[in-house]
């Protein structure tokens, strides 16, 4: 399985830890930056990881910034990305099973690396319960075509 991973400066340390962990588990990891802990902008990495997933270079993406929220919002701006910020293993699993999430985001300031590892493994093992005509497929399709009511 191919995974794109990215983080801003606040997520750099966690990214490096997860990159090592994932590589040791046999995953092919594409590091999209940041490559140091100097101040950087999380939307840049969200875009790079998102494009990697949408293009098919990667199967899934993993992103992190200090709170996890900014990078999750930015990732969801990439057409075709469904990013989630789980607080527990159940949320990681249900994000895949019901929402067909393809990017997992983390709050680097507070999550323990071992918890992030558990959430990733749970996320990657879960399978989308969609399929033509299913309620989950119908809902994911609706999310993909949403527009604001300006």
């Amino acid at each position: 399985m191919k995974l794109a991973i990215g983080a801003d400066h606040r997520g750099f340390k966690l990214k490096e830890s997860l990159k090592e962990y994932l590589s040791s588990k046999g995953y092919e990891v594409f590091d999209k930056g940041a490559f140091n802990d100097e101040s950087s902008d999380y939307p840049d990495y969200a875009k790079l990881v998102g494009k990697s997933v949408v293009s098919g270079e990667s199967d899934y993406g993993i992103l992190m910034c200090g709170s996890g929220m900014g990078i999750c919002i930015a990732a969801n701006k990439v057409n075709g990305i469904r990013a989630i910020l789980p607080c527990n293993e159940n949320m990681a699993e249900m994000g895949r099973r019901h929402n067909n999430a393809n990017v997992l985001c983390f709050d680097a300031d507070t999550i323990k690396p071992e918890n992030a590892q558990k959430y990733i493994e749970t996320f990657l093992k879960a399978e989308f319960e969609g399929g033509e005509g299913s309620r989950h497929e119908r809902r994911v399709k609706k999310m993909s075509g949403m527009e604001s009511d300006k």
Side-chain angles (χ1 to χ4, degrees), residues 43-124:
D44 298 337
Y45 308 108
K47 185 176 182 179
L48 290 170
V49 167
K51 285 186 170 194
S52 179
V53 172
V54 171
S55 73
E57 175 189 48
S58 302
D59 299 304
Y60 299 102
I62 300 169
L63 290 164
M64 57 226 74
C65 69
S67 70
M69 291 183 282
I71 208 157
C72 189
I73 292 168
N76 280 309
K77 300 292 183 184
V78 177
N79 192 25
I81 294 300
R82 291 172 303 281
I84 60 170
L85 176 62
C87 300
N88 55 51
E89 286 181 78
N90 184 61
M91 290 176 74
E93 179 180 358
M94 297 311 287
R96 280 285 311 126
R97 289 177 56 198
H98 288 190
N99 308 116
N100 202 16
N102 52 13
V103 173
L104 194 55
C105 300
F106 292 113
D107 54 324
D109 287 351
T110 59
I111 195 164
K112 295 177 182 176
E114 57 271 18
N115 286 342
Q117 292 169 5
K118 285 186 223 174
Y119 299 177
I120 291 168
E121 292 296 345
T122 299
F123 178 84
L124 295 176

XYZ file of all heavy atoms in Angstrom, residues 43-124:
614
model
N -1.362 24.436 4.614
C -2.114 24.207 3.376
C -1.247 23.679 2.228
O -1.742 22.917 1.376
C -2.686 25.588 3.030
C -2.790 26.281 4.356
C -1.560 25.815 5.101
N 0.024 24.035 2.221
C 0.921 23.558 1.159
C 1.044 22.040 1.188
O 1.010 21.384 0.143
C 2.304 24.187 1.294
C 2.282 25.700 1.164
O 1.330 26.242 0.547
O 3.202 26.351 1.684
N 1.170 21.472 2.366
C 1.344 20.028 2.503
C 0.023 19.286 2.314
O 0.000 18.179 1.771
C 2.013 19.696 3.832
C 3.264 20.519 3.980
C 3.335 21.569 4.868
C 4.362 20.289 3.142
C 4.470 22.370 4.947
C 5.495 21.079 3.215
C 5.534 22.124 4.120
O 6.650 22.916 4.179
N -1.074 19.914 2.743
C -2.390 19.319 2.513
C -2.643 19.178 1.013
O -3.148 18.150 0.544
C -3.474 20.171 3.160
N -2.268 20.187 0.258
C -2.457 20.160 -1.191
C -1.587 19.083 -1.842
O -2.057 18.324 -2.694
C -2.127 21.528 -1.782
C -2.406 21.648 -3.252
C -2.149 23.077 -3.723
C -2.461 23.255 -5.194
N -2.240 24.643 -5.642
N -0.327 18.995 -1.430
C 0.581 17.997 -2.009
C 0.116 16.573 -1.719
O 0.104 15.716 -2.607
C 2.004 18.204 -1.479
C 2.723 19.458 -1.968
C 4.010 19.674 -1.174
C 3.023 19.362 -3.459
N -0.272 16.319 -0.485
C -0.754 14.981 -0.121
C -2.081 14.699 -0.819
O -2.286 13.616 -1.368
C -0.867 14.829 1.410
C -1.646 13.577 1.789
C 0.522 14.795 2.041
N -2.973 15.671 -0.840
C -4.260 15.495 -1.502
C -4.104 15.162 -2.979
O -4.750 14.249 -3.491
N -3.240 15.886 -3.653
C -3.012 15.624 -5.081
C -2.400 14.241 -5.299
O -2.697 13.576 -6.289
C -2.128 16.708 -5.689
C -2.874 18.007 -5.904
C -2.028 19.024 -6.639
C -2.886 20.199 -7.040
N -2.228 21.061 -8.016
N -1.558 13.801 -4.382
C -0.971 12.471 -4.491
C -2.050 11.398 -4.407
O -2.023 10.415 -5.152
C 0.079 12.263 -3.390
O 0.643 10.983 -3.464
N -3.013 11.586 -3.528
C -4.103 10.616 -3.373
C -5.038 10.664 -4.578
O -5.369 9.630 -5.156
C -4.872 10.869 -2.051
C -6.122 9.998 -1.967
C -3.971 10.628 -0.851
N -5.458 11.852 -4.961
C -6.397 11.992 -6.074
C -5.799 11.468 -7.383
O -6.497 10.846 -8.187
C -6.857 13.464 -6.218
C -7.655 13.677 -7.489
C -7.680 13.876 -5.005
N -4.509 11.677 -7.588
C -3.858 11.233 -8.829
C -3.646 9.718 -8.875
O -3.368 9.165 -9.937
C -2.507 11.926 -8.995
O -1.557 11.382 -8.084
N -3.719 9.071 -7.712
C -3.474 7.634 -7.651
C -2.038 7.276 -7.331
O -1.703 6.101 -7.206
N -1.183 8.291 -7.168
C 0.199 8.011 -6.762
C 0.196 7.296 -5.413
O 1.009 6.405 -5.175
C 1.003 9.304 -6.668
C 2.416 9.098 -6.130
C 3.151 10.385 -5.835
O 2.568 11.292 -5.177
O 4.325 10.496 -6.247
N -0.722 7.715 -4.541
C -0.860 7.125 -3.201
C -2.275 6.594 -3.034
O -3.215 7.128 -3.617
C -0.608 8.178 -2.124
O 0.663 8.742 -2.277
N -2.406 5.569 -2.206
C -3.725 5.032 -1.899
C -4.449 5.897 -0.876
O -5.663 6.095 -0.973
C -3.600 3.597 -1.363
C -2.976 2.669 -2.386
O -3.511 2.580 -3.513
O -1.936 2.051 -2.072
N -3.696 6.385 0.118
C -4.252 7.202 1.194
C -3.236 8.246 1.604
O -2.050 8.126 1.302
C -4.600 6.342 2.424
C -5.630 5.290 2.125
C -5.259 3.970 1.934
C -6.975 5.622 2.018
C -6.194 2.997 1.635
C -7.922 4.652 1.710
C -7.527 3.349 1.527
O -8.463 2.393 1.225
N -3.726 9.254 2.346
C -2.854 10.296 2.850
C -2.934 10.398 4.360
O -3.961 10.050 4.963
N -1.835 10.882 4.939
C -1.763 11.125 6.380
C -1.157 12.510 6.558
O -0.099 12.807 6.004
C -0.911 10.058 7.087
C -1.515 8.666 6.854
C -0.788 10.366 8.577
C -0.620 7.520 7.288
N -1.846 13.353 7.323
C -1.423 14.734 7.517
C -1.443 15.106 8.981
O -2.213 14.547 9.757
C -2.364 15.679 6.760
C -2.287 15.664 5.243
C -3.514 16.346 4.646
C -1.002 16.327 4.781
N -0.614 16.072 9.364
C -0.642 16.575 10.728
C -0.154 18.008 10.807
O 0.709 18.422 10.048
C 0.160 15.672 11.668
C 1.594 15.462 11.278
S 2.136 13.745 11.368
C 1.360 12.996 9.974
N -0.774 18.736 11.705
C -0.331 20.077 12.090
C -0.575 20.162 13.593
O -0.965 19.171 14.208
C -1.076 21.165 11.309
S -2.829 21.361 11.695
N -0.358 21.303 14.186
C -0.485 21.417 15.637
C -1.810 20.911 16.172
O -1.862 20.024 17.010
N -2.913 21.476 15.693
C -4.244 21.074 16.171
C -4.872 19.997 15.307
O -5.840 19.362 15.725
C -5.178 22.287 16.189
O -5.480 22.681 14.856
N -4.374 19.821 14.090
C -4.967 18.898 13.136
C -6.122 19.500 12.367
O -6.478 19.025 11.295
N -6.700 20.557 12.908
C -7.895 21.134 12.283
C -7.586 21.891 10.996
O -8.273 21.709 9.987
C -8.619 22.035 13.282
C -9.249 21.240 14.409
S -10.197 22.237 15.561
C -8.876 22.950 16.540
N -6.576 22.741 11.016
C -6.262 23.530 9.829
C -5.894 22.662 8.640
O -6.371 22.876 7.523
N -5.058 21.674 8.884
C -4.616 20.808 7.786
C -5.762 19.937 7.277
O -5.840 19.633 6.084
C -3.372 19.987 8.187
C -2.544 19.662 6.942
C -3.717 18.756 9.010
C -1.089 19.358 7.217
N -6.701 19.584 8.146
C -7.877 18.812 7.742
C -8.792 19.677 6.862
O -9.267 19.224 5.813
C -8.625 18.301 8.972
S -9.937 17.121 8.596
N -9.019 20.909 7.270
C -9.833 21.824 6.467
C -9.186 22.029 5.101
O -9.847 21.951 4.065
C -10.025 23.173 7.188
C -10.909 22.988 8.431
C -10.623 24.224 6.245
C -10.923 24.191 9.364
N -7.879 22.281 5.091
C -7.162 22.509 3.833
C -7.229 21.282 2.929
O -7.445 21.407 1.718
C -5.714 22.899 4.117
N -7.059 20.095 3.492
C -7.106 18.870 2.692
C -8.469 18.699 2.040
O -8.565 18.291 0.879
C -6.767 17.655 3.551
N -9.518 19.030 2.771
C -10.871 18.872 2.236
C -11.198 19.873 1.130
O -12.225 19.738 0.465
C -11.908 18.924 3.359
C -12.007 17.598 4.071
O -12.168 16.562 3.447
N -11.894 17.622 5.383
N -10.335 20.840 0.903
C -10.508 21.778 -0.217
C -10.014 21.168 -1.527
O -10.317 21.680 -2.601
C -9.748 23.086 0.041
C -10.193 23.838 1.279
C -11.582 24.383 1.117
C -11.988 25.190 2.338
N -13.363 25.658 2.264
N -9.251 20.079 -1.446
C -8.766 19.402 -2.651
C -9.895 18.511 -3.170
O -10.378 17.632 -2.450
C -7.493 18.565 -2.359
C -7.044 17.816 -3.601
C -6.374 19.451 -1.809
N -10.330 18.762 -4.394
C -11.436 18.009 -4.975
C -11.121 16.514 -4.974
O -10.096 16.094 -5.494
C -11.707 18.498 -6.402
C -13.012 17.972 -6.952
O -13.928 17.648 -6.208
N -13.089 17.873 -8.259
N -12.009 15.734 -4.362
C -11.828 14.285 -4.297
C -11.288 13.799 -2.971
O -11.231 12.597 -2.724
N -10.914 14.715 -2.107
C -10.395 14.324 -0.792
C -11.514 14.346 0.231
O -12.355 15.243 0.255
C -9.233 15.245 -0.348
C -8.030 15.052 -1.257
C -8.866 15.022 1.119
C -7.474 13.618 -1.286
N -11.495 13.333 1.082
C -12.399 13.239 2.222
C -11.518 12.983 3.442
O -11.196 11.833 3.765
C -13.436 12.130 2.000
C -14.432 12.452 0.898
C -15.325 11.282 0.544
N -14.566 10.098 0.150
C -14.020 9.915 -1.065
N -14.125 10.830 -2.010
N -13.358 8.808 -1.335
N -11.111 14.066 4.078
C -10.186 13.990 5.211
C -10.953 14.006 6.527
O -11.962 14.702 6.659
C -9.209 15.163 5.163
N -10.444 13.236 7.483
C -11.045 13.192 8.815
C -9.973 13.420 9.869
O -8.789 13.179 9.639
C -11.771 11.853 9.084
C -10.802 10.663 8.978
C -12.962 11.704 8.140
C -11.390 9.345 9.476
N -10.419 13.868 11.031
C -9.560 14.115 12.191
C -10.125 13.301 13.352
O -10.932 13.779 14.134
C -9.550 15.614 12.512
C -8.797 16.096 13.737
C -7.311 15.786 13.625
C -9.013 17.597 13.925
N -9.739 12.014 13.458
C -10.338 11.156 14.479
C -9.795 11.425 15.882
O -8.626 11.756 16.049
C -9.949 9.751 14.021
C -8.642 9.944 13.321
C -8.750 11.290 12.647
N -10.680 11.261 16.850
C -10.310 11.401 18.260
C -10.107 10.040 18.917
O -9.666 9.978 20.067
C -11.396 12.155 19.019
S -11.700 13.794 18.402
N -10.465 8.979 18.195
C -10.320 7.634 18.731
C -10.326 6.634 17.574
O -10.557 7.012 16.419
C -11.429 7.331 19.752
C -12.815 7.538 19.162
O -13.137 7.025 18.095
N -13.639 8.310 19.859
N -10.096 5.363 17.889
C -10.039 4.333 16.854
C -11.379 4.144 16.145
O -11.419 3.903 14.938
C -9.587 2.995 17.447
C -8.107 2.956 17.771
C -7.698 1.617 18.341
O -7.541 0.665 17.537
O -7.546 1.529 19.576
N -12.471 4.252 16.889
C -13.789 4.090 16.284
C -14.026 5.135 15.203
O -14.550 4.820 14.132
C -14.890 4.161 17.351
C -16.257 3.907 16.748
O -16.521 2.846 16.198
N -17.113 4.906 16.833
N -13.628 6.369 15.465
C -13.810 7.423 14.455
C -12.951 7.152 13.224
O -13.390 7.396 12.093
C -13.483 8.788 15.048
C -14.499 9.261 16.068
S -14.034 10.822 16.844
C -14.360 11.958 15.500
N -11.750 6.636 13.430
C -10.881 6.299 12.291
C -11.530 5.202 11.448
O -11.546 5.266 10.216
C -9.504 5.863 12.783
N -12.076 4.202 12.115
C -12.729 3.095 11.412
C -13.987 3.548 10.690
O -14.196 3.230 9.505
C -13.079 1.976 12.402
C -13.778 0.817 11.760
C -14.135 -0.287 12.738
O -13.814 -0.183 13.944
O -14.747 -1.273 12.294
N -14.843 4.283 11.378
C -16.108 4.698 10.783
C -15.904 5.713 9.655
O -16.694 5.754 8.711
C -17.046 5.260 11.854
C -17.424 4.219 12.906
S -17.999 2.640 12.237
C -19.597 3.104 11.646
N -14.853 6.502 9.743
C -14.539 7.419 8.652
C -14.272 6.684 7.352
O -14.641 7.147 6.270
N -13.647 5.529 7.444
C -13.417 4.696 6.252
C -14.695 3.948 5.875
O -15.100 3.955 4.725
C -12.301 3.658 6.513
C -10.921 4.175 6.411
C -10.427 4.420 4.981
N -10.650 3.304 4.098
C -11.287 3.386 2.925
N -11.747 4.531 2.490
N -11.457 2.320 2.180
N -15.310 3.299 6.855
C -16.446 2.423 6.563
C -17.654 3.180 6.015
O -18.302 2.716 5.088
C -16.844 1.642 7.809
C -15.806 0.582 8.176
C -16.140 -0.156 9.441
N -17.463 -0.768 9.362
C -18.150 -1.173 10.416
N -17.649 -1.028 11.624
N -19.330 -1.721 10.272
N -17.964 4.333 6.602
C -19.184 5.043 6.213
C -18.945 6.239 5.294
O -19.841 6.587 4.520
C -19.935 5.516 7.453
C -20.592 4.395 8.188
N -21.475 4.603 9.213
C -20.494 3.044 8.050
C -21.899 3.429 9.682
N -21.317 2.479 8.991
N -17.789 6.883 5.407
C -17.542 8.108 4.640
C -16.505 7.957 3.539
O -16.218 8.903 2.831
C -17.119 9.238 5.582
C -18.081 9.414 6.734
O -17.716 9.216 7.882
N -19.315 9.759 6.432
N -15.939 6.764 3.417
C -14.907 6.491 2.416
C -13.778 7.529 2.503
O -13.279 8.013 1.476
C -15.498 6.429 1.006
C -14.622 5.656 0.047
O -13.722 4.921 0.446
N -14.868 5.823 -1.236
N -13.400 7.879 3.734
C -12.317 8.844 3.934
C -11.045 8.315 3.286
O -10.780 7.111 3.295
C -12.091 9.091 5.425
N -10.277 9.227 2.712
C -9.031 8.830 2.067
C -7.813 9.573 2.614
O -6.702 9.342 2.166
C -9.126 8.958 0.546
C -9.613 10.310 0.076
O -9.666 11.269 0.827
N -9.987 10.382 -1.192
N -8.040 10.450 3.581
C -6.939 11.151 4.257
C -7.235 11.181 5.749
O -8.350 11.493 6.171
C -6.743 12.581 3.714
C -5.717 13.358 4.540
C -6.320 12.547 2.242
N -6.223 10.869 6.522
C -6.304 10.842 7.980
C -5.454 11.991 8.512
O -4.297 12.141 8.113
C -5.760 9.505 8.457
C -5.993 9.030 9.868
C -7.476 9.015 10.203
C -5.415 7.639 10.039
N -6.020 12.814 9.395
C -5.312 13.968 9.948
C -5.118 13.804 11.453
O -5.949 13.194 12.131
C -6.092 15.251 9.678
S -6.357 15.575 7.923
N -4.026 14.388 11.950
C -3.707 14.291 13.378
C -3.343 15.635 13.986
O -2.806 16.510 13.308
C -2.534 13.326 13.599
C -2.869 11.901 13.299
C -2.277 11.255 12.230
C -3.784 11.205 14.066
C -2.584 9.945 11.927
C -4.102 9.895 13.777
C -3.498 9.258 12.712
N -3.604 15.730 15.276
C -3.238 16.892 16.093
C -1.882 16.613 16.740
O -1.803 16.006 17.801
C -4.314 17.144 17.145
C -4.615 15.921 18.005
O -4.580 14.781 17.472
O -4.874 16.089 19.205
N -0.836 17.065 16.099
C 0.529 16.729 16.521
C 0.884 17.243 17.909
O 1.744 16.666 18.570
C 1.530 17.257 15.498
N 0.229 18.306 18.363
C 0.558 18.859 19.679
C 0.104 17.970 20.832
O 0.674 18.048 21.921
C -0.071 20.246 19.865
C 0.608 21.322 19.057
O 1.681 21.073 18.458
O 0.061 22.446 19.012
N -0.906 17.141 20.610
C -1.461 16.386 21.735
C -1.511 14.871 21.565
O -1.533 14.164 22.562
C -2.883 16.879 22.080
O -3.716 16.710 20.934
C -2.879 18.341 22.495
N -1.551 14.365 20.338
C -1.697 12.916 20.169
C -0.386 12.198 20.485
O 0.699 12.689 20.155
C -2.189 12.547 18.751
C -2.684 11.094 18.748
C -1.127 12.799 17.696
C -3.520 10.737 17.546
N -0.505 11.069 21.141
C 0.666 10.238 21.396
C 0.954 9.432 20.136
O 0.029 8.920 19.502
C 0.393 9.289 22.567
C 0.195 10.000 23.879
C -0.143 9.023 24.981
C -0.378 9.777 26.277
N -0.793 8.862 27.348
N 2.221 9.301 19.752
C 2.546 8.547 18.530
C 1.939 7.148 18.499
O 1.469 6.703 17.450
C 4.074 8.505 18.537
C 4.474 9.720 19.291
C 3.417 9.882 20.357
N 1.905 6.462 19.635
C 1.339 5.114 19.648
C -0.166 5.131 19.354
O -0.697 4.192 18.760
C 1.645 4.372 20.952
C 1.187 5.058 22.199
C 2.200 6.033 22.819
O 3.147 6.471 22.145
O 2.016 6.368 24.003
N -0.859 6.201 19.758
C -2.282 6.311 19.417
C -2.455 6.590 17.929
O -3.332 6.013 17.283
C -2.968 7.384 20.254
C -3.181 6.946 21.688
O -3.138 5.751 21.988
N -3.386 7.888 22.574
N -1.626 7.468 17.381
C -1.686 7.738 15.945
C -1.447 6.451 15.160
O -2.142 6.174 14.178
C -0.665 8.806 15.562
N -0.508 5.644 15.602
C -0.235 4.365 14.931
C -1.470 3.465 14.953
O -1.818 2.854 13.937
C 0.941 3.656 15.612
C 2.265 4.355 15.428
C 3.349 3.785 16.332
O 3.148 2.801 17.037
N 4.509 4.425 16.314
N -2.137 3.381 16.106
C -3.349 2.563 16.218
C -4.447 3.066 15.288
O -5.124 2.280 14.637
C -3.880 2.582 17.659
C -3.110 1.743 18.638
C -3.843 1.758 19.964
C -2.878 1.931 21.100
N -3.542 2.088 22.389
N -4.634 4.383 15.253
C -5.673 4.955 14.401
C -5.373 4.668 12.932
O -6.282 4.346 12.157
C -5.789 6.462 14.602
C -6.160 6.925 15.991
C -6.229 8.270 16.280
C -6.427 6.034 17.031
C -6.563 8.733 17.539
C -6.762 6.486 18.298
C -6.836 7.834 18.549
O -7.156 8.294 19.800
N -4.106 4.776 12.552
C -3.722 4.502 11.163
C -4.010 3.048 10.810
O -4.606 2.753 9.775
C -2.237 4.838 10.919
C -2.010 6.346 10.992
C -1.778 4.294 9.562
C -0.538 6.754 11.046
N -3.592 2.123 11.657
C -3.816 0.704 11.378
C -5.308 0.392 11.290
O -5.740 -0.347 10.408
C -3.132 -0.170 12.432
C -1.615 -0.124 12.383
C -0.994 -0.679 11.106
O -1.676 -1.378 10.320
O 0.201 -0.403 10.892
N -6.093 0.962 12.183
C -7.541 0.758 12.163
C -8.136 1.317 10.878
O -8.956 0.662 10.220
C -8.190 1.423 13.391
O -7.657 0.819 14.572
C -9.702 1.280 13.378
N -7.731 2.517 10.510
C -8.196 3.186 9.299
C -7.867 2.358 8.058
O -8.727 2.129 7.200
C -7.522 4.564 9.231
C -7.834 5.391 8.022
C -8.968 6.174 7.973
C -6.958 5.440 6.944
C -9.246 6.970 6.870
C -7.217 6.229 5.839
C -8.369 6.991 5.799
N -6.644 1.876 7.971
C -6.205 1.150 6.779
C -6.828 -0.242 6.662
O -6.977 -0.753 5.554
C -4.681 1.060 6.744
C -3.941 2.396 6.584
C -2.441 2.189 6.667
C -4.338 3.102 5.295
